Amino acid sequence: MVKVVVTGGHGLVGKALQQVTKDFNFIFLSSKDCDLRNYQATLELFQQIKPDTIIHLAANVGGLYKNMNQKVDMLEKNLLMNFNVVKCCHDFGVQKLVACLSTCIFPDKTTYPINEDMLHDGPPHTSNDAYAYAKRMLEIHCQAYRENYGDKFVCVIPTNIYGPNDNFNLEDAHVLPALIHKCYLAKKENKDFIVRGTGTPLRQFIHSEDLAELMMWALENYDGKSLILSVSESAEVSIGYVAKLIAKAFDYEERMFFDESFSDGQYKKTADNTRLTDLLLKNHSTVFDFIKIEEGITETVKWFIENYENARK
Ligand code: NAP
Ligand code: GFB
């Protein structure tokens, strides 16, 4: 069976991929198996495992405030991991690499919706420029191997991802898991549920299980330029709406307040997913049925309550 090695295999998306039942010999790696920042260790890992294909998820990841406050780490750790993995993929003749970017790497001052051809058309938002340039270099690195050697190194570009097994750390997490944790504690301690910023910024959220399915589709069927994996433009919601859905799921709507002393970050990064939906329709006569944010949040809140003790936080 084809050996599919998943770096970052125990994170939010890695755990969702573990639910995918396909006839592949999956190997899910964590940082305990190998620190991918270390070139020698990465080389020895490839010598030992001899992967056929790789889904490269491993990264130093976090929400707005981690990106703003830990720029050196967001740049250096991601540059090192990505360089080592892509180079080893070529040197060990890996048949297919699917690498993961993010819509926050697109230009900040641009027209909307954003499509794949606009990726390098200007600087990203200052709040996450360190992480964004590390990811842009990952795309350039993959593109270079495609052009010079014909390697099947493909990049996918998800929007904000959420779901079970996320990182719920109060300071470093993305907005959705952070607010779920904050509302949980607010209700438990009979305190106000504080949402940072104005609540007006807009985001597209894809459920980790939908993303895992689309990443498997890309691994098996897609070999082209970088591809946005996202819900549609019309599914874009405000941070305030997401916060309300979380408060409703905890039956704690009365005590929700906004603290506008905190940054809103980028106002929006509306992504155009028509290249993906056209491909699915044309090649597979499929219209992908994305999990609705209302249903996804209710399920993730339930998961967090049931798994509070072991959740990353
Ligand atoms: P995550 O939950 O934080 O998981 C990251 C994974 O990377 C963890 O399994 C971690 O291993 C591994 N890792 C970190 N440093 C490592 C190192 N030095 N060596 C080896 N492994 C290391 O991240 P995620 O949310 O699943 O993100 C998956 C991918 O999607 C990333 O490339 C991210 O940039 C991208 N992305 C995420 C979002 C989002 O909203 N979450 C949006 C767009 C794109 P351990 O488990 O051992 O710690
Ligand atoms: O998911 P998030 O942290 O990052 O969302 P980005 C930030 C938005 O949520 C801002 C608001 O408008 C915040 O003001 N927000 C409200 C909160 N309360 C909270 C809270 O308690 N915690 C957090 N984190 N936000 C990230 C990039 O941008 O998108 C990353 O920085 C990555 O690199 C990720 O690409 C997907 O969506 O703004």
Side-chain angles (χ1 to χ4, degrees):
M1 283 211 284
V2 172
K3 196 185 288 177
V4 180
V5 172
V6 181
T7 73
H10 297 269
L12 166 68
V13 182
K15 282 279 174 78
L17 268 170
Q18 292 188 23
Q19 308 307 315
V20 171
T21 49
K22 288 242 176 186
D23 292 340
F24 288 107
N25 169 11
F26 279 108
I27 299 176
F28 293 97
L29 299 174
S30 94
S31 57
K32 297 175 198 62
D33 300 304
C34 173
D35 180 348
L36 295 170
R37 293 171 298 166
N38 178 320
Y39 181 66
Q40 195 50 39
T42 309
L43 200 66
E44 283 155 20
L45 176 86
F46 274 70
Q47 271 157 351
Q48 187 203 336
I49 295 184
K50 297 188 178 37
D52 297 321
T53 62
I54 291 230
I55 298 180
H56 176 42
L57 299 173
N60 184 18
V61 179
L64 169 63
Y65 304 105
K66 178 178 177 179
N67 271 273
M68 290 165 69
N69 304 329
Q70 300 177 28
K71 289 199 173 189
V72 173
D73 269 3
M74 296 309 277
L75 181 72
E76 293 183 347
K77 291 184 177 178
N78 287 314
L79 278 178
L80 288 168
M81 278 187 256
N82 296 336
F83 175 86
N84 294 338
V85 169
V86 174
K87 181 163 180 46
C88 285
C89 281
H90 174 74
D91 294 347
F92 285 82
V94 163
Q95 297 153 22
K96 181 84 176 268
L97 162 66
V98 175
C100 205
L101 309 178
S102 170
T103 54
C104 79
I105 78 173
F106 280 103
D108 178 39
K109 300 196 176 22
T110 183
T111 54
Y112 296 103
I114 306 167
N115 68 45
E116 290 85 348
D117 303 328
M118 300 156 76
L119 204 150
H120 297 284
D121 288 1
H125 191 266
T126 51
S127 65
N128 48 233
D129 51 9
Y131 170 85
Y133 280 118
K135 288 287 192 184
R136 286 192 184 185
M137 287 310 111
L138 172 58
E139 206 247 1
I140 297 289
H141 202 186
C142 289
Q143 195 54 32
Y145 276 114
R146 288 179 69 82
E147 287 173 23
N148 289 172
Y149 298 97
D151 287 334
K152 290 196 170 134
F153 293 177
V154 166
C155 292
V156 294
I157 317 172
T159 51
N160 291 47
I161 313 165
Y162 74 101
N165 299 295
D166 206 338
N167 175 0
F168 294 83
N169 179 275
L170 293 171
E171 198 46 48
D172 292 352
H174 291 98
V175 58
L176 215 148
L179 291 181
I180 288 175
H181 193 175
K182 285 174 180 173
C183 195
Y184 175 94
L185 293 175
K187 184 165 185 177
K188 192 164 153 231
E189 298 158 7
N190 192 18
K191 290 193 176 138
D192 291 343
F193 168 39
I194 305 299
V195 181
R196 293 180 175 184
T198 62
T200 57
L202 302 171
R203 299 287 184 270
Q204 288 154 293
F205 293 96
I206 185 169
H207 192 285
S208 57
E209 284 159 22
D210 285 345
L211 182 66
E213 211 179 310
L214 290 169
M215 287 190 106
M216 283 312 298
W217 167 81
L219 182 75
E220 295 177 88
N221 305 284
Y222 184 69
D223 181 25
K225 292 200 298 185
S226 300
L227 183 67
I228 290 172
L229 300 183
S230 169
V231 294
S232 68
E233 219 186 312
S234 59
E236 189 176 50
V237 290
S238 73
I239 299 296
Y241 178 67
V242 163
K244 276 204 192 80
L245 289 176
I246 291 168
K248 189 157 168 266
F250 279 104
D251 189 19
Y252 204 62
E253 291 161 283
E254 311 314 312
R255 306 274 302 270
M256 186 179 102
F257 300 95
F258 292 95
D259 179 345
E260 300 191 9
S261 69
F262 282 93
S263 165
D264 267 344
Q266 194 168 17
Y267 174 64
K268 69 176 187 176
K269 38 187 169 175
T270 316
D272 175 357
N273 75 344
T274 48
R275 189 176 289 183
L276 169 70
T277 52
D278 288 353
L279 278 167
L280 292 173
L281 207 53
K282 201 168 99 251
N283 303 350
H284 310 277
S285 358
T286 306
V287 175
F288 194 88
D289 184 18
F290 290 97
I291 295 171
K292 302 270 176 305
I293 187 82
E294 293 79 9
E295 183 200 324
I297 284 180
T298 308
E299 175 240 321
T300 307
V301 166
K302 185 167 171 296
W303 181 90
F304 184 69
I305 295 169
E306 288 164 2
N307 295 276
Y308 183 75
E309 291 317 315
N310 305 318
R312 282 188 291 166
K313 53 187 183 293

